[in-house]
């Protein structure tokens, strides 16, 4: 039987370049080899957006469009909406007994995200425990592989621990998943921050039209120590050059720009202009495919419904095994 992939994204906005290099690229590359499920994690999105549930429906559609735009083939890949598979919530509840509060408190990604978010009334239990629901997402589909960015490694580790615990306690039903990092494990933001992230507003989106890409590139953070174009500049840690390395296929041009930047013989504007050109070329086919699907929303919803139906069938099969293993598959007859 083909090995399986499960991964996903929170419908908190359209997807960006970080998603592409961190995860989407691997999904597209592996979709012919692996039985692939991609989850639009709307329940997880609620954990820090519960005050604005009205945004979810539109964002679910946007994320599905992005999947199709980057080349996920709806004949092969199942796009699944998390809240439409209620078995996920059931499995999450069972998993809650297998994780200690102290373990949740140590999760470095959740700690970092709590710092970034402004939870005025304290951290909601839902946010704090989302690694448990994510473990349910991965394991209900019995995924072998999870293509993710670096920030998700603690979540995969948490899922693996839960699987070991479950299988030891009850019966060997669940599969221990492995993480697979993308070509860039953590793409920095346009603000020079450590991670491009929807919640931080430092993104270039896959659906950005050229004039928006230009605006975002031209206002990018570069080398703060460089005041005049004739000052020698720093290439390392400069997100403009990080993006050049990733998205500009003309390596000779990138090397030449780096050399001149270090010497102080090229201005930020030229370096950014070349980056703009590279990004617009990279995004053109994605935008093109996105517009085709966006013109046919009925087809997109059919794809979502069909993917979710298949995903739910698989989830129900796993849950039968889970309940039997836990000796709670009562028949009462
Ligand atoms: P949010 O700010 O709402 O959490 P996000 O931008 O972090 O949004 P997610 O939906 O949480 O996006 O992440 C989906 C997947 O994309 C995860 O596997 C994550 O690791 C990956 N990813 C997100 N941002 C980046 C990035 N900047 N570099 C590499 N991978 C990324
Ligand atoms: Mg995130």
């Amino acid at each position: 039987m083909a090995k399986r992939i499960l991964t996903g994204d929170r419908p908190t906005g359209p997807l960006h370049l970080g998603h592409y290099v961190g995860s989407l690229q691997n999904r597209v590359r592996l979709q012919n080899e692996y039985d692939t499920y991609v989850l639009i994690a709307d329940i997880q999105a609620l954990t820090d957006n519960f005050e604005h549930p009205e945004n979810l429906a539109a964002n679910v559609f946007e994320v599905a469009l992005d999947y199709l735009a980057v080349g996920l083939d709806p004949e092969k890949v199942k796009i699944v909406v998390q809240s439409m598979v209620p078995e996920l919530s059931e499995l999450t509840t069972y998993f809650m007994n297998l994780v200690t509060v102290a373990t949740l408190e140590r999760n470095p990604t959740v700690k970092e995200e709590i710092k970034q978010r402004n939870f005025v009334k304290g951290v909601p239990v839902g946010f704090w425990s989302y690694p448990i629901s994510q473990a349910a997402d991965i394991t209900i589909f019995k995924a072998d592989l999870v293509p993710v960015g670096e920030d998700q490694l603690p979540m995969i580790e948490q899922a693996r621990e839960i699987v070991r615990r479950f299988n030891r306690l009850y019966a060997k039903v669940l599969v221990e998943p492995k993480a697979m990092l993308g070509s860039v494990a953590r793409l920095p933001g346009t603000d020079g921050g450590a991670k491009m992230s929807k919640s931080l507003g430092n993104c270039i989106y896959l659906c950005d039209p050229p004039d928006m890409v230009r605006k975002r590139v031209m206002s990018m953070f570069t080398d703060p120590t460089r005041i005049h174009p004739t000052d020698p500049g720093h290439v390392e840690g400069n997100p403009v050059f990080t993006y050049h390395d990733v998205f500009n296929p003309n390596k000779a041009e990138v090397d030449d720009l780096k050399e001149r930047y270090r010497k102080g013989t090229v201005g930020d504007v030229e370096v950014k202009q070349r980056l703009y050109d590279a990004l617009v070329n990279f995004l053109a086919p994605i935008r093109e495919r996105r517009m085709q699907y966006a013109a046919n929303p009925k087809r997109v919803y059919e794809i979502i419904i069909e993917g979710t139906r298949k995903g739910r069938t698989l989830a129900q099969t796993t849950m039968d095994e889970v309940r039997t293993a836990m000796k709670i598959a009562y028949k009462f007859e």
Side-chain angles (χ1 to χ4, degrees):
M1 207 173 65
K3 293 218 170 201
R4 201 169 281 145
I5 279 180
L6 177 284
T7 186
D9 307 275
R10 296 156 27 103
T12 48
L15 301 184
H16 52 66
L17 294 175
H19 293 108
Y20 188 84
V21 291
S23 176
L24 292 170
Q25 199 175 27
N26 274 334
R27 303 181 205 178
V28 174
R29 186 170 63 84
L30 298 172
Q31 64 180 335
N32 298 322
E33 271 170 71
Y34 282 77
D35 181 25
T36 302
Y37 291 76
V38 288
L39 190 75
I40 305 187
D42 56 341
I43 298 181
Q44 194 187 117
L46 274 176
T47 61
D48 56 341
N49 293 279
F50 54 90
E51 284 167 318
H52 294 287
E54 70 277 9
N55 297 337
L56 284 177
N59 283 334
V60 166
F61 184 73
E62 292 298 313
V63 170
L65 272 185
D66 282 326
Y67 288 162
L68 297 165
V70 296
L72 288 180
D73 178 351
E75 298 298 323
K76 295 182 186 126
V77 172
K78 276 71 75 182
I79 298 178
V80 183
V81 178
Q82 189 181 29
S83 64
M84 293 166 81
V85 182
E87 289 74 15
L88 285 169
S89 302
E90 182 187 354
L91 188 57
T92 301
T93 308
Y94 300 151
F95 280 177
M96 284 187 168
N97 300 322
L98 308 183
V99 181
T100 64
V101 170
T103 306
L104 286 179
E105 280 175 336
R106 277 197 300 270
N107 187 306
T109 298
V110 177
K111 272 203 233 170
E112 183 59 34
E113 289 175 340
I114 286 172
K115 263 193 255 163
Q116 286 164 2
R117 284 162 179 72
N118 190 20
F119 289 121
V120 276
K121 290 188 175 147
V123 184
V125 173
F127 188 83
W128 196 55
S129 59
Y130 87 72
I132 303 179
S133 92
Q134 203 169 312
D137 299 339
I138 297 167
T139 56
I140 212 163
F141 297 104
K142 295 198 178 173
D144 302 280
L145 199 65
V146 191
V148 281
E150 192 180 48
D151 61 303
Q152 294 302 308
L153 291 181
M155 313 307 164
I156 312 301
E157 204 38 55
Q158 177 69 82
R160 290 168 63 87
E161 271 175 38
I162 291 175
V163 169
R164 287 196 291 264
R165 203 105 204 257
F166 184 99
N167 287 351
R168 215 169 36 229
L169 262 175
Y170 304 121
K172 205 174 168 323
V173 165
L174 302 177
V175 175
E176 221 177 301
K178 281 197 185 65
M180 175 186 249
L181 289 179
S183 59
V184 181
R186 188 184 293 248
L187 190 75
T190 52
D191 58 354
K195 180 176 173 278
M196 181 178 285
S197 170
K198 284 174 252 141
S199 305
L200 300 176
N202 58 5
C203 304
I204 294 174
Y205 293 99
L206 298 174
C207 58
D208 277 342
D211 57 333
M212 185 56 87
V213 176
R214 179 187 297 280
K215 233 166 88 186
R216 299 200 204 272
V217 168
M218 288 304 165
S219 58
M220 268 182 82
F221 175 94
T222 54
D223 176 359
T225 65
R226 193 171 191 246
I227 298 162
H228 309 289
T230 49
D231 294 343
H234 296 90
V235 165
E236 285 70 32
N238 184 330
V240 177
F241 282 101
T242 307
Y243 292 8
H244 262 299
D245 280 333
V246 180
F247 298 104
N248 188 343
N250 185 347
K251 297 299 157 211
E253 177 179 270
V254 176
D255 287 345
D256 171 63
L257 288 172
K258 284 182 179 172
E259 197 186 316
R260 290 196 288 137
Y261 199 80
R262 288 197 180 98
K263 286 198 294 214
T265 57
V266 65
D268 277 354
V269 174
E270 184 182 338
V271 179
K272 286 179 168 177
Q273 178 62 43
R274 295 291 154 89
L275 176 61
Y276 163 80
D277 292 339
L279 285 177
V280 166
N281 277 336
F282 168 78
L283 292 173
I286 298 178
R287 253 173 65 73
E288 176 64 28
R289 211 175 300 129
R290 199 180 201 277
M291 284 191 299
Q292 283 167 13
Y293 276 106
N296 191 356
K298 196 163 163 279
R299 171 79 187 119
V300 177
Y301 286 119
E302 276 167 13
I303 292 169
I304 296 175
I305 290 165
E306 184 56 13
T308 302
R309 192 188 61 74
K310 289 184 176 148
R312 187 161 187 209
T313 302
L314 176 56
Q316 284 170 333
T317 306
T318 305
M319 285 314 290
D320 286 341
E321 295 173 41
V322 162
R323 290 187 212 104
T324 302
M326 292 177 71
K327 305 195 171 27
I328 54 170
Y330 316 125
K331 295 277 189 292
F332 290 146
E333 47 192 16

